[in-house]
Amino acid sequence: MSVRKRRIYIDYCGMFILVLGLLVGSLMPLGGAASSPDTGTGHGGSHGNKNPGNGTTYSKKPFPVLSFDYEHVRLPFEISLWVLLASLMKLGFHLIPRVSSIVPESCLLIVVGLLVGGLIKMVGEDPPVLESKIFFFYLLPPIILDAGYFMPIRQFTENLGTILMFAVVGTLWNSFFVGGLLYGVCQLEGHKLAYVDLLSCLLFGSIISAVDPVAVLAVFEEIHINELLHILVFGESLLNDAVTVVLYHLFEEYSSVGSITFMDVFLGIVCFLVVSLGGIVVGAIYGILAAFTSRFTSHTRVIEPLFVFVYSYMAYLSAEVFHLSGIMALIACGAVMRPYVEANISHKSHTTIKYFLKMWSSVSDTLIFIFLGVSTVAGPHQWNWTFVVATVIFCLVARVLGVVGLTFVINKFRIVKLTSKDQFIIAYGGLRGAIAFSLVYLLNPKHFPMRNMFLTAIITVIFFTVFVQGMTIRPLVDLLAVKKKQETKRSINEEIHTQFLDHLLTGIEDICGHYGHHHWKDKLNRFNKKYVKKCLIAGERSKEPQLIAFYHKMEMKQAIELVESGGGAKLPSALPSTVSMQNIQPKKPSQDRALPQLSKAREEEIRKILRTNLQRTRQRLRSYNRHTLIADPYEDGWNEMLLKRKKMKELEKKMNNYLTVPAPPPDSPTITRARLASDPQAWGLKSVTESIPTIKVDLASPQSPESVNVVDEFSKKGSQPKEEEGGLTMKVPSPAKQRKDKTPDEEPQQRLMRCLSDPGPAPEEIQPLRSCSGCALHI
Amino acid sequence: MGSFQSLPDDHQYRTLSQKTGFSLEQIAILHNRFKQLSQNEETLRRDDLKTIQDLESNPIRYQIIEAFFDRRNFQKDGVGSVEEIGFEEFLTVMSYFRAPAHRITEEQKEEMRRAKLRFLFNMHDTDNDGTITLEEYRHVVEELLSRSGALGRETAKGIADAAMLEVASISVGPMAPDEFYEGITFEQFLKILKGIEIETRMHIRFLNMDTTVLCKQHCV
C-alpha cells in the first residue's frame, strides 16, 4: 500500500484509539476526584453543618488554578463521545473498501459494538444498554422522518394495496404462527419451559414478527434493488408498526390477567384502526401546519428547516401521547408537508433539510447498531437452546409461508404480477432489528419472568437476520439477476406522455361512466390545485403545473452538466443534442434572408469570451463537491449555471441560425449598459460585441425553449431584485423578425422593457439567486 | 337495466367478444353505457360525448373525443373521421385500454404495446401523414397545459421544442445545419416511449364497473 494510504490508516487508528480510550475512561467511577472542588464553593451553604456563612469559615487553601470536574459534564460528554465513536466508525469503514463491499455496514457496526462492550466489561464497568426511551425518542425519529420525507409517493400509492396486505395480514400471520408454535414447543419441552404461557408466547411472536425499517433501510440501500421491491419491503416495514403497537399492548395488558375474550379481540381490531388512522391524521395535521407556516417564512429563511424538523418531531410525540402509531404519524407528516414546503422554502433551506436529515439518520442508524452490539454483551441473558433455535426456524418459515401465500392472493388483483424471484427477495428481506429488541427490553420482568430468555432469543434472531441474510442478500441478488434500480434520466417526452396518459385514462373512465382509480386521483389533484395549494403555497408558485416544474429541473441539470463537462473548451459541439432548432423548424422559403457574415476572427473572440466566463464559473463550482448522498448533486450553483448555459446555447443557435435571422437593429443604451455591466471583460471588446448580432441572448424569442421561462418568471415576480440577473445580457427581439406568430412576441417585449429599465447596481460576475423560483420539486 | 337481452344480441356479443377480447359481461356493461350515452339510439355522435360533465375539466377532451371518431382506430385500415359510430366501433376503441392477460408471450406483449402506442400516435398525428410534426406536437403540449392557465402558449412551445429536439437527437443523431427533420415517425415514437411500460399503464379495469353507477344521469 502506498505511503499516503499508510499514513491515513495510522492517523485514523491513532485517533480512534484515543476516542475509544476516552470513552472507556469516562465510564470509570470518577466521583472521588470530582467532589472536593464542588463542595467548597457550591454546596457549602446548604449543608447546614459548621459553615453557616460565606467568608468567615474559609480555610486558607491555595487558589485552584486547574481543577478537574468531570461530573459536571458527564452526561453530554459521554453522549458526544458515543456519537463521535459512531461517526469515526463510519469513516473507518470507507477507508477499507474491500470489507465494506462484502459485509454490510450494519454487521460491521454490530461487531464494533460487541468489541466496545467487551472492552468496557473487561475494564470492570457495566456497559450501557440501549435504553428504550433513548431509542424511541431520540434515535428512531430521525430515521423515520428521513424515510417519510423522501418517500416516493407515486410508487407507494400505486402499490398501497400490496403493501398493506403484507404489513397487516402478513404481520398478523407471522405473530400467531410463531407465537402459537412456540407455545407448543414450550409445552412439549417440559420442565424448563412449562412456565411460558400462551399469551407471553403470542406477545413474543408479535414483537419478533415485525420487519424492522432501520435494518431494511441499512441493507437495501446498499444493494440498489429495483424500486418496486424496495418500496414493497420498506413500505411494509413502516406500516406494520401499527399492528405491532396494537398487538403488543393487547398481549401485554392481558397477559397478567391470563386470558382474552372475544370482546378484547374486537376491541383490539377497533384499536388497530384507531391507532393507524389516528396516527396518520395526527401526522397530516402537523404536516399541514408545517406547510402553512412555511408560507410565511420568506423573510426569515434561516429558520425554515427548523420548522420542518420541529413539527415532525411534535407529530411523533403527539401520537405517542395517545399511544397511536408514532411512525405512521411521522411518515404522514413528512409526506403531506413535502410538496408544499418544497414550493415555499428557499433552495438553501431545501439543501439544509436534506443534509440534516441524512446526517441525523445516518448517525442514529450507526448508534443503534453499535448499541445493539454493546447491549448484547451487557444484557442479562438466559440461553435456552430449544427456545432460541425454535424461534429462529419458526421466524424464517413463517415469513416464507406468509409471503408466498399472500402473493398468491395479491397477484389476482395486480396488473404487474410479483414473480417468484420477487417473492424470494421480499421474504429474504424481512430483517428484524432494534425495534424488536427495545420492545422486549421494555417488558416488566415481574410480569414476565422469561424476559431474559426472550431477550436472548430476539438478539439471536436479529443477529441471524442481519448477519446471515444481510450478508448473503447481495450475492443472491446478483445470482438471481434481480432487476436493479434503473439510473435512467427521465426524458421530457416521457414526462409529457405520462401526463397525457393520466388525462387520457381519466377521460376514458369518464366516458365509461366508471369511477375508477384515475377518476379519484384526478379529482384529488384538482381539489389540491384549487384549494389546498392556494392556502399552503406562497404567491405565484401555486399555479405552476408539474410539467413545467419538471422542465425547469431538466434544464437546470443540463446546464450544470454542460458546464461541468468543460463546455467552454469545446464550444460548438458542447450541446448534448447536436440537432438544433433550425433542423426542426419548418423552412420559410418566402423569407428575405439577410446574411451578416461572421468572420472567423470574430467567432474566435466570441468563443474566447464565453470560455473565460465559463472557466471562472467552473472554478467557483469546484468548491461544491460531490457527496455520497443519495440525491441529485445538481443543487449548488444551479442558477448561475443555468444562466451561463442559456447564454451559450443561444450563442450556438445564433451561430447556426444567422442564415435565417435578419440583422437586428442596434441596441438601446439601457440594454447595452446592462449587458456590459455584467461582463467586465467585455468592456475591452465593446466595439466588437456591439456589431455582432449573435452575442446577444435573445430571451424573448419563442424559438428558444428556456428563454420564455425566464421571461415569464420576471413577469410573475415583479418584486424580485433585478440586480440578480446581472450576469445575463438581454436583447429586445427585433420587430423586423418575420416569424409566423407575432403576437406572443409583443408581450414579452413589453415585459423585458420593464425589466431592463433599471439594471440595478453593478453586479459581480456571479450572483446567486436568493430563492429558487419556479422550481417546485414535484415528485 | 338488463344485461343479456334476446338471442341476436347474445350472438352479436360473442362475435364482438372474439374480435375485441372483452368478456361477455364487460361487453354487456359497455353496451349499457353506450345506450345511455347515445340516448338509446343506434349510433353515437360527438355531441353525445361532449355532454359528459366530468369530461369538461379534462384538458385533452377534444382529442379523446376525436379518437373515438377516427377511422384509423377501428382496425379496418380506414382513414379520416366519421360523424357517428356504432357500438362495434365504440367497443373497438375501448379495447385499446384492456389490460394484458396474465400469461402472454413476448410477441403478444409487443403487439399489444404497438397497438396502444399506435392509438396514442394517431391522437397526436391529426393530419395523418405518418409523422408528428412540430406544430402538432406543440398543439399537444398546449392542450395539456391549457388548464394550467397562467403560463400559456410560450412555455408550451418551449417544452414542445425541447421535446422534438430530444427525439431528433435520439433518433437521427447529429444533423447538418441544412437538414430538416420532418417529424416523429411511428418507429421513433416507439423508441422514445420505451421507458414507459405502456401495456400495463394504459389500461382501465373494466370488470370493476358498477352498473348502479352507470344508471346515474351524468349526461343531459
Side-chain angles (χ1 to χ4, degrees):
Chain A
M1 98 179 67
S2 66
V3 177
R4 214 195 78 195
K5 259 199 163 167
R6 200 179 307 156
R7 207 181 307 156
I8 293 180
Y9 280 144
I10 292 178
D11 290 342
Y12 176 79
C13 288
M15 186 170 56
F16 182 68
I17 290 176
L18 175 67
V19 172
L20 197 57
L22 268 177
L23 189 64
V24 175
S26 73
L27 290 170
M28 304 233 265
L30 292 163
S35 46
S36 45
D38 260 345
T39 50
T41 50
H43 303 286
S46 63
H47 277 315
N49 48 12
K50 297 168 228 84
N51 302 337
N54 280 344
T56 55
T57 51
Y58 272 159
S59 56
K60 187 74 174 147
K61 274 195 296 218
F63 184 71
V65 174
L66 192 65
S67 49
F68 183 83
D69 185 7
Y70 180 66
E71 284 306 311
H72 204 46
V73 296
R74 188 194 178 98
L75 189 61
F77 196 80
E78 278 180 3
I79 295 177
S80 310
L81 270 181
W82 278 109
V83 173
L84 193 58
L85 179 73
S87 318
L88 284 176
M89 291 279 58
K90 242 184 140 62
L91 279 183
F93 293 146
H94 291 282
L95 281 181
I96 318 172
R98 253 184 325 133
V99 180
S100 64
S101 61
I102 306 173
V103 185
E105 223 173 72
S106 37
C107 302
L108 289 172
L109 288 169
I110 295 186
V111 168
V112 166
L114 284 174
L115 286 174
V116 171
L119 202 62
I120 296 179
K121 206 156 194 178
M122 264 196 323
V123 174
E125 274 300 308
D126 260 334
V129 192
L130 180 62
E131 253 181 80
S132 299
K133 194 169 128 186
I134 298 181
F135 175 74
F136 281 114
F137 287 160
Y138 303 116
L139 291 179
L140 190 62
I143 300 179
I144 304 292
L145 179 62
D146 180 34
Y149 196 77
F150 293 109
M151 171 102 74
I153 294 284
R154 194 180 181 121
Q155 275 133 349
F156 188 72
T157 46
E158 275 174 15
N159 294 300
L160 192 61
T162 315
I163 293 178
L164 276 176
M165 275 287 270
F166 278 125
V168 177
V169 179
T171 312
L172 279 174
W173 156 259
N174 277 353
S175 326
F176 285 105
F177 186 81
V178 174
L181 282 185
L182 271 179
Y183 180 62
V185 165
C186 288
Q187 295 302 89
L188 284 175
E189 166 71 3
H191 56 288
K192 263 192 290 181
L193 295 174
Y195 66 103
V196 182
D197 58 327
L198 178 62
L199 281 174
S200 306
C201 278
L202 284 175
L203 175 64
F204 180 70
S206 70
I207 294 175
I208 204 168
S209 58
V211 177
D212 188 80
V214 180
V216 164
L217 261 181
V219 169
F220 269 50
E221 253 179 21
E222 294 182 8
I223 60 179
H224 298 302
I225 207 161
N226 67 18
E227 285 164 349
L228 172 67
L229 286 179
H230 188 263
I231 198 73
L232 282 180
V233 181
F234 183 60
E236 180 198 344
S237 68
L238 290 175
L239 293 187
N240 66 16
D241 181 59
V243 179
T244 311
V245 163
V246 171
L247 284 179
Y248 181 80
H249 284 300
L250 185 70
F251 291 133
E252 201 198 4
E253 285 284 320
Y254 293 112
S255 65
S256 39
V257 175
S259 66
I260 286 195
T261 65
F262 270 122
M263 192 58 190
D264 299 325
V265 173
F266 175 70
L267 282 178
I269 297 179
V270 173
C271 180
F272 166 72
L273 289 170
V274 167
V275 159
S276 48
L277 293 174
I280 294 179
V281 164
V282 167
I285 291 176
Y286 275 98
I288 293 183
L289 276 177
F292 192 66
T293 312
S294 71
R295 202 180 146 188
F296 304 109
T297 57
S298 46
H299 299 289
T300 42
R301 295 273 182 204
V302 192
I303 55 173
E304 271 169 347
L306 191 67
F307 285 119
V308 171
F309 300 139
V310 171
Y311 273 114
S312 315
Y313 195 49
M314 294 207 45
Y316 181 75
L317 294 175
S318 308
E320 288 290 330
V321 166
F322 299 102
H323 276 294
L324 303 174
S325 167
I327 290 184
M328 295 183 91
L330 257 185
I331 302 279
C333 184
V336 164
M337 84 165 120
R338 186 181 175 199
Y340 309 110
V341 162
E342 300 254 311
N344 283 334
I345 62 178
S346 72
H347 198 63
K348 290 202 170 90
S349 298
H350 169 72
T351 312
T352 309
I353 292 178
K354 188 162 70 181
Y355 272 65
F356 262 85
L357 279 179
K358 298 282 176 203
M359 177 187 81
W360 271 328
S361 66
S362 175
V363 170
S364 277
D365 174 282
T366 317
L367 273 176
I368 288 177
F369 282 114
I370 291 188
F371 266 115
L372 258 183
V374 174
S375 311
T376 311
V377 174
H381 287 303
Q382 184 186 341
W383 181 270
N384 182 315
W385 274 103
T386 329
F387 190 78
V388 172
V389 172
T391 309
V392 175
I393 295 180
F394 291 150
C395 277
L396 283 176
V397 170
R399 176 85 182 155
V400 172
L401 285 178
V403 169
V404 170
L406 280 175
T407 316
F408 181 72
V409 175
I410 288 172
N411 269 346
K412 294 202 197 304
F413 297 98
R414 279 180 69 92
I415 297 290
V416 180
K417 315 279 181 199
L418 294 173
T419 65
S420 33
K421 261 193 250 176
D422 296 336
Q423 291 173 40
F424 175 74
I425 297 290
I426 295 175
Y428 209 65
L431 305 173
R432 307 330 196 247
I435 293 187
F437 177 83
S438 310
L439 284 177
V440 168
Y441 205 77
L442 273 176
L443 290 178
N444 191 338
K446 285 198 223 55
H447 292 160
F448 296 95
M450 69 294 284
R451 173 178 171 267
N452 294 342
M453 190 169 67
F454 284 174
L455 257 179
T456 314
I458 282 223
I459 287 187
T460 315
V461 173
I462 294 177
F463 271 46
F464 182 82
T465 54
V466 171
F467 277 91
V468 174
Q469 286 179 234
M471 272 204 271
T472 52
I473 201 168
R474 208 195 309 225
L476 275 173
V477 160
D478 290 331
L479 194 69
L480 291 175
V482 179
K483 239 184 348 168
K484 293 266 183 107
K485 182 151 66 160
Q486 299 192 305
E487 302 290 345
T488 48
K489 263 195 306 190
R490 200 81 189 280
S491 76
I492 193 152
N493 278 294
E494 284 183 10
E495 184 68 26
I496 292 177
H497 280 95
T498 310
Q499 298 254 333
F500 191 81
L501 264 179
D502 277 341
H503 288 299
L504 175 64
L505 291 172
T506 312
I508 298 285
E509 274 188 4
D510 291 332
I511 291 181
C512 288
H514 166 45
Y515 282 153
H517 185 57
H518 290 97
H519 181 92
W520 293 118
K521 205 162 87 161
D522 190 60
K523 268 217 159 107
L524 185 65
N525 277 339
R526 268 187 283 139
F527 172 73
N528 189 16
K529 199 186 295 193
K530 204 162 159 197
Y531 301 111
V532 183
K533 274 191 179 169
K534 286 219 172 76
C535 271
L536 299 179
I537 298 186
E540 294 286 325
R541 251 172 267 134
S542 57
K543 296 207 195 82
E544 190 179 83
Q546 184 179 344
L547 187 58
I548 298 191
F550 175 83
Y551 182 58
H552 284 319
K553 204 166 154 197
M554 199 188 70
E555 281 298 323
M556 236 153 65
K557 280 188 185 170
Q558 273 186 8
I560 294 175
E561 257 170 30
L562 178 61
V563 174
E564 295 256 307
S565 64
K570 33 184 171 70
L571 179 57
S573 55
L575 294 177
S577 73
T578 48
V579 179
S580 52
M581 268 314 299
Q582 51 114 26
N583 286 119
I584 63 175
Q585 273 283 11
K587 290 203 174 64
K588 300 178 244 321
S590 56
Q591 230 173 330
D592 209 5
R593 295 177 187 191
L595 303 163
Q597 291 292 351
L598 200 59
S599 73
K600 277 283 177 217
R602 297 238 167 112
E603 261 188 51
E604 258 315 296
E605 271 164 329
I606 298 168
R607 287 187 194 164
K608 219 187 334 176
I609 295 168
L610 285 169
R611 209 175 304 149
T612 39
N613 267 351
L614 282 168
Q615 273 174 2
R616 210 162 296 175
T617 315
R618 275 190 74 212
Q619 279 156 21
R620 175 78 72 100
L621 243 201
R622 279 213 192 91
S623 62
Y624 301 80
N625 42 20
R626 302 289 103 197
H627 300 277
T628 52
L629 283 188
I630 321 156
D632 61 331
Y634 298 111
E635 305 266 320
D636 311 317
W638 60 272
N639 47 308
E640 300 103 17
M641 298 314 105
L642 182 61
L643 300 178
K644 292 294 174 194
R645 150 91 161 151
K646 279 181 190 164
K647 247 170 137 174
M648 270 187 43
K649 206 170 183 181
E650 287 317 304
L651 175 67
E652 168 70 13
K653 285 196 176 109
K654 287 300 172 194
M655 281 167 56
N656 280 333
N657 287 346
Y658 57 75
L659 289 175
T660 56
V661 174
D667 286 338
S668 77
T670 323
I671 298 163
T672 321
R673 196 169 11 116
R675 182 183 69 242
L676 294 173
S678 65
D679 257 353
Q681 69 270 30
W683 279 107
L685 299 164
K686 180 170 175 181
S687 53
V688 175
T689 56
E690 262 182 5
S691 52
I692 300 172
T694 58
I695 273 203
K696 303 184 185 73
V697 176
D698 185 358
L699 272 193
S701 154
Q703 180 197 28
S704 55
E706 51 275 16
S707 62
V708 290
N709 298 325
V710 183
V711 170
D712 285 340
E713 266 137 62
F714 288 156
S715 69
K716 266 198 293 190
K717 301 181 297 309
S719 59
Q720 276 290 3
K722 305 288 186 301
E723 68 271 13
E724 290 168 344
E725 299 304 313
L728 200 57
T729 68
M730 292 179 261
K731 175 187 96 67
V732 180
S734 73
K737 235 182 267 189
Q738 293 161 29
R739 297 246 164 258
K740 276 204 288 203
D741 34 7
K742 244 210 216 151
T743 25
D745 273 7
E746 306 306 319
E747 240 203 352
Q749 204 173 332
Q750 309 297 339
R751 284 184 248 158
L752 258 187
M753 293 303 293
R754 266 183 262 128
C755 277
L756 296 171
S757 56
D758 58 322
E764 24 167 345
E765 197 196 318
I766 295 164
Q767 295 261 7
L769 267 180
R770 251 164 248 133
S771 68
C772 171
S773 58
C775 289
L777 294 170
H778 292 263
I779 299 147
Chain B
M1 291 201 174
S3 46
F4 286 179
Q5 306 292 347
S6 54
L7 200 55
D9 274 313
D10 198 35
H11 173 67
Q12 193 186 21
Y13 283 4
R14 278 186 213 285
T15 33
L16 284 175
S17 167
Q18 270 184 343
K19 186 177 166 222
T20 58
F22 280 121
S23 73
L24 294 175
E25 209 175 27
Q26 289 169 328
I27 295 182
I29 295 175
L30 284 172
H31 201 178
N32 282 336
R33 180 62 177 172
F34 182 82
K35 280 195 267 211
Q36 188 188 30
L37 286 176
S38 67
Q39 283 131 31
N40 275 319
E41 294 189 22
E42 283 299 316
T43 56
L44 195 65
R45 263 179 278 264
R46 283 188 180 80
D47 297 329
D48 298 322
L49 286 181
K50 283 189 187 151
T51 56
I52 303 177
Q53 258 183 349
D54 291 320
L55 217 48
E56 285 301 307
S57 48
N58 198 317
I60 56 171
R61 62 190 172 285
Y62 292 119
Q63 274 117 319
I64 298 178
I65 294 178
E66 267 313 303
F68 275 91
F69 294 90
D70 189 343
R71 279 224 195 100
R72 290 174 294 177
N73 294 331
F74 296 160
Q75 296 176 349
K76 284 189 193 141
D77 298 329
V79 286
S81 65
V82 293
E83 282 308 312
E84 40 186 44
I85 55 171
F87 179 56
E88 189 177 336
E89 286 87 21
F90 183 75
L91 207 60
T92 313
V93 173
M94 283 297 183
S95 72
Y96 286 103
F97 293 94
R98 284 185 50 242
H102 184 31
R103 292 182 199 292
I104 53 172
T105 64
E106 271 305 308
E107 284 174 0
Q108 283 173 329
K109 206 160 141 186
E110 185 59 31
E111 210 180 286
M112 189 174 229
R113 197 181 147 73
R114 285 184 79 98
K116 294 192 183 199
L117 282 175
R118 185 86 222 179
F119 183 82
L120 278 185
F121 189 82
N122 289 343
M123 278 182 86
H124 297 328
D125 183 20
T126 45
D127 60 359
N128 196 28
D129 59 354
T131 56
I132 303 177
T133 60
L134 184 62
E135 276 311 307
E136 287 168 345
Y137 212 9
R138 275 184 184 162
H139 184 65
V140 169
V141 180
E142 267 167 31
E143 291 294 308
L144 259 187
L145 293 179
S146 60
R147 284 279 148 176
S148 320
L151 302 174
R153 300 183 66 212
E154 298 304 318
T155 325
K157 278 212 181 70
I159 296 178
D161 292 346
M164 280 296 273
L165 275 175
E166 192 181 71
V167 180
S169 56
I170 292 177
S171 330
V172 185
M175 289 175 73
D178 52 356
E179 279 181 66
F180 182 57
Y181 178 66
E182 290 292 333
I184 311 178
T185 64
F186 183 56
E187 293 302 320
Q188 290 163 354
F189 192 68
L190 280 182
K191 204 160 130 194
I192 57 173
L193 290 186
K194 229 205 303 253
I196 306 182
E197 286 193 2
I198 282 283
E199 59 273 11
T200 46
R201 288 196 70 169
M202 189 165 144
H203 78 276
I204 306 254
R205 291 170 191 262
F206 284 105
L207 199 56
N208 298 348
M209 284 194 287
D210 195 359
T211 41
T212 56
V213 169
L214 297 179
C215 291
K216 283 198 194 136
Q217 290 302 323
H218 294 294
C219 319
V220 184

